[in-house]
Amino acid sequence: MPDEPFLIVGLAAIGRALFRYRSGLAPVGAGLALATAGLIFHRTHPDLWPAVALISAITALTAGLRIRRGQERVYAATVAIVAGGWLATATAVGPGMRPLPTVLLLAVVVLGVPWWAHRRRRARVRVDRVIHAWPELAETIGLDGSRIMSAVVDTWGWRGRMKLRPGQSVADVVARVPAIESALGTRPGAVRVEQDPAHAGRCTMRVLAVDPHAGAIPWPGPTARSLADPIDLGVFEDTTTVRVPLLRRHALIGGTTDSGKSGVLNVVLGNLVACPDVVLWGIDLKGGMELRPWASCLGRLATSPDEATKMLADAVAVLDARAHAASHDNSRVWGPTPDAPALVIVIDEYAELADTAPDAVGHAESVARRGRAVAVDILAATQRPTQKAMGGGALRSQMSVRVCLRVRERRDVDLILDRGMLAVGWHAHTLDAPGKFYVLADGHNQPRRARAYLITDDQVRETAGRYAGHRPDLDPLSRSAIGHHSRAIEPPMKTVNDPEQTLLTILGEAPDAGLTVPELIEATGMRRTWIYDRLQALAATGRARQVARGRWRA
């Protein structure tokens, strides 16, 4: 028939419309399903209406058990009661008996209004449309062949699992985030991309309709009771807590002016002062401006380059003594206790230390290389992550916990976090509020944005006052090491005229625990093979000896 193609086209169009608007038509569909069920039950088993009523009552009581929001639980229970009551009545007397048709129509309209107005249902509809249109969008933005396999709507937006075309990588998706935001019609900065750790060709795309970090998040107080407990820094965008371990780890906090660096540092200190198994030393070359409020909880506070150099030299003496004791006890790590606490040196504005106290930097790098096993750690903060301050030496490479707040330049991301991090989505230069940060640490290997807790000056004073009387002292071994070491070994000279004489001098000044080969390489500026040859020659003539594996002195 000539009209048949038009009929098929019309039916197909109606079917597509019904499918597209299936969520909005759900109340109407439910009403039609109730009317049909009532008609069937009335004609076949009209005496089953008590069972229908009982099942409806049970459904109403259990409808909201898996629903968190109170309003949604009430709505679900109301729908179950009304639908069950109407179906039981229709089963008994028939769905055409007045006023049942009118009641059903009013129920569909009245109970349909909250359904149609519900924000998350409407968001789910929008997400379904995005999934349906994604093949065309992907081709437009240069990700043709990719597809969104599934999506989940939450309070802040939605999260979709994306499968990429063979040959595409997550780096391709990250590079096209601005184009994705344009195609989806979102605000700038609304799209996040995370690698699927189990598959290189899959990722998770998160689209935020509302910024969950638009407002400050009050600090709940210290949660750590030991250095072995992870420290709560803030909250991720999915509302999970940012927990970072610091035991036997060096940490770096970096960010530009007004990025919230001091706030993050105060959150960390607010937890550390509550731990009875850690001694805190502080270096603040801005006259103590940042760390002075915590002075009552600090074992020592250095506010000048000379004091900082002396403090870090003492830290080297402590780790040498602990390493020597550990070698005799055949123990590999120092387990902090209130009687033998860990030592954490907090350095505010490390770049200032590098500029004004170069001798201190050598000691800091020694602590960074050798301090972790004996629980002598560094917590450094800087707002000037320059190549000079952060790029060289052992300190930066040993920082296993890195917190990156807003930075001015894109290249600063790689300086604070690590080389190549900017290219795979750690876009700290786009952070738009103080306290927002990325964290790179054990268990935190994906570029997830977080916001640090806001700790007020009153909370700092109250916390410092509460724990000032409960701070531990260093153990006798560490105190003895500080009292007896003569002077710190001078840091390596920029230009070495006689490396053999320098080697003899530094071996003669070495502590009882000796010096490692990397330290001798750094001091002399010579290669590892040269160092080994000279050490063997000196040992053969009795001028040097190996006091422990890999450690030498005169």
Side-chain angles (χ1 to χ4, degrees):
M1 295 178 61
D3 293 336
E4 185 175 356
F6 297 101
L7 177 62
I8 294 175
V9 171
L11 291 176
I14 293 173
R16 286 196 298 268
L18 290 175
F19 180 80
R20 180 173 184 180
Y21 298 103
R22 61 191 183 279
S23 178
L25 294 173
V28 178
L32 293 175
L34 274 177
T36 304
L39 180 62
I40 294 174
F41 288 167
H42 176 67
R43 289 187 175 182
T44 58
H45 302 287
D47 55 333
L48 290 182
W49 69 268
V52 174
L54 178 62
I55 294 174
S56 301
I58 295 174
T59 303
L61 292 174
T62 60
L65 293 181
R66 299 183 62 183
I67 302 176
R68 291 185 178 182
R69 296 176 178 271
Q71 292 179 342
E72 294 179 0
R73 286 198 298 268
V74 171
Y75 177 77
T78 302
V79 170
I81 292 173
V82 172
W86 190 94
L87 183 59
T89 305
T91 301
V93 302
M97 181 67 66
R98 293 183 179 180
L100 288 183
T102 305
V103 171
L104 181 60
L105 180 61
L106 290 176
V108 169
V109 174
V110 173
L111 295 178
V113 170
W115 174 265
W116 292 319
H118 196 274
R119 177 177 57 81
R120 282 199 290 172
R121 184 203 66 81
R122 290 186 284 116
R124 178 70 229 188
V125 171
R126 290 194 295 269
V127 172
D128 287 341
R129 292 175 182 173
V130 169
I131 295 175
H132 182 71
W134 181 257
E136 297 180 3
L137 296 177
E139 186 174 355
T140 302
I141 61 181
L143 293 174
D144 50 301
S146 65
R147 60 189 180 92
I148 300 176
M149 297 185 293
S150 63
V152 176
V153 177
D154 57 26
T155 304
W156 310 109
W158 60 277
R159 179 190 300 269
R161 294 177 61 245
M162 183 184 298
K163 183 177 182 180
L164 304 177
R165 187 192 64 199
Q168 292 177 340
S169 67
V170 176
D172 297 324
V173 183
V174 171
R176 289 167 174 79
V177 163
I180 294 174
E181 293 169 345
S182 175
L184 298 181
T186 68
R187 60 182 175 81
V191 174
R192 316 279 189 263
V193 178
E194 298 177 11
Q195 171 74 62
D196 184 342
H199 198 294
R202 295 178 183 175
C203 64
T204 299
M205 181 174 69
R206 181 166 174 77
V207 181
L208 297 174
V210 180
D211 185 1
H213 291 157
I217 306 171
W219 184 52
T223 56
R225 293 296 177 264
S226 167
L227 187 59
D229 297 334
I231 290 180
D232 294 352
L233 291 183
V235 179
F236 286 117
E237 289 179 329
D238 60 1
T239 71
T240 57
T241 303
V242 184
R243 291 190 170 94
V244 177
L246 288 184
L247 176 60
R248 285 188 284 274
R249 291 172 174 85
H250 304 302
L252 172 65
I253 302 172
T256 188
T257 307
D258 296 327
S259 64
K261 172 183 62 69
S262 297
V264 174
L265 185 61
N266 282 332
V267 170
V268 175
L269 286 171
N271 280 273
L272 291 182
V273 299
C275 299
D277 55 357
V278 57
V279 170
L280 296 171
W281 290 357
I283 296 176
D284 185 356
L285 298 186
K286 292 185 291 185
M289 183 190 312
E290 297 293 342
L291 299 184
R292 186 75 69 183
W294 298 103
S296 59
C297 295
L298 300 179
R300 294 169 64 176
L301 176 61
T303 58
S304 69
D306 291 340
E307 291 175 347
T309 303
K310 179 65 167 62
M311 177 184 292
L312 289 168
D314 289 345
V316 173
V318 169
L319 75 87
D320 283 336
R322 291 184 175 185
H324 185 68
S327 66
H328 283 284
D329 296 339
N330 292 322
S331 58
R332 299 186 61 184
V333 295
W334 181 280
T337 65
D339 295 328
L343 174 60
V344 174
I345 302 107
V346 182
I347 306 175
D348 185 65
E349 196 44 68
Y350 179 78
E352 189 71 20
L353 182 71
D355 289 342
T356 61
D359 292 355
V361 173
H363 299 312
E365 292 187 349
S366 182
V367 173
R369 284 192 300 268
R370 304 185 290 128
R372 293 175 58 184
V374 293
V376 179
D377 300 320
I378 289 178
L379 170 60
T382 181
Q383 66 179 6
R384 292 192 292 129
T386 61
Q387 186 70 34
K388 176 183 177 182
M390 306 306 305
L395 187 69
R396 179 175 175 270
S397 63
Q398 295 293 334
M399 295 294 185
S400 55
V401 176
R402 304 188 186 190
V403 176
C404 185
L405 296 105
R406 185 178 71 250
V407 295
R408 292 190 183 278
E409 300 181 16
R410 297 166 63 94
R411 63 181 181 180
D412 292 341
V413 175
D414 289 349
L415 287 175
I416 296 175
L417 294 173
D418 207 352
R419 183 176 300 175
M421 290 311 213
L422 176 66
V424 294
W426 300 73
H427 294 166
H429 60 288
T430 64
L431 298 175
D432 56 1
K436 290 187 177 183
F437 66 90
Y438 288 100
V439 58
L440 180 64
D442 293 343
H444 302 292
N445 299 317
Q446 295 287 342
R448 301 171 62 194
R449 294 192 184 196
R451 181 151 193 175
Y453 291 125
L454 174 64
I455 179 171
T456 64
D457 293 341
D458 291 339
Q459 286 179 306
V460 170
R461 285 190 293 268
E462 191 273 333
T463 304
R466 187 195 318 169
Y467 294 104
H470 305 283
R471 302 301 305 141
D473 293 326
L474 284 175
D475 56 287
L477 174 66
S478 300
R479 293 199 301 269
S480 175
I482 295 174
H484 288 85
H485 89 283
S486 57
R487 66 185 183 89
I489 300 173
E490 294 297 325
M493 299 296 291
K494 296 289 183 178
T495 303
V496 179
N497 295 324
D498 187 353
E500 293 198 15
Q501 184 59 44
T502 300
L503 179 63
L504 289 172
T505 301
I506 199 170
L507 287 173
E509 295 176 342
D512 293 340
L515 293 173
T516 64
V517 171
E519 289 173 321
L520 298 177
I521 293 173
E522 184 179 354
T524 60
M526 304 302 290
R527 294 179 178 273
R528 182 179 295 269
T529 53
W530 186 92
I531 294 292
Y532 277 121
D533 289 343
R534 296 305 186 275
L535 288 175
Q536 294 300 326
L538 292 173
T541 59
R543 303 178 67 187
R545 64 188 179 92
Q546 189 173 12
V547 296
R549 184 176 180 180
R551 306 188 71 87
W552 295 77
R553 61 163 303 175

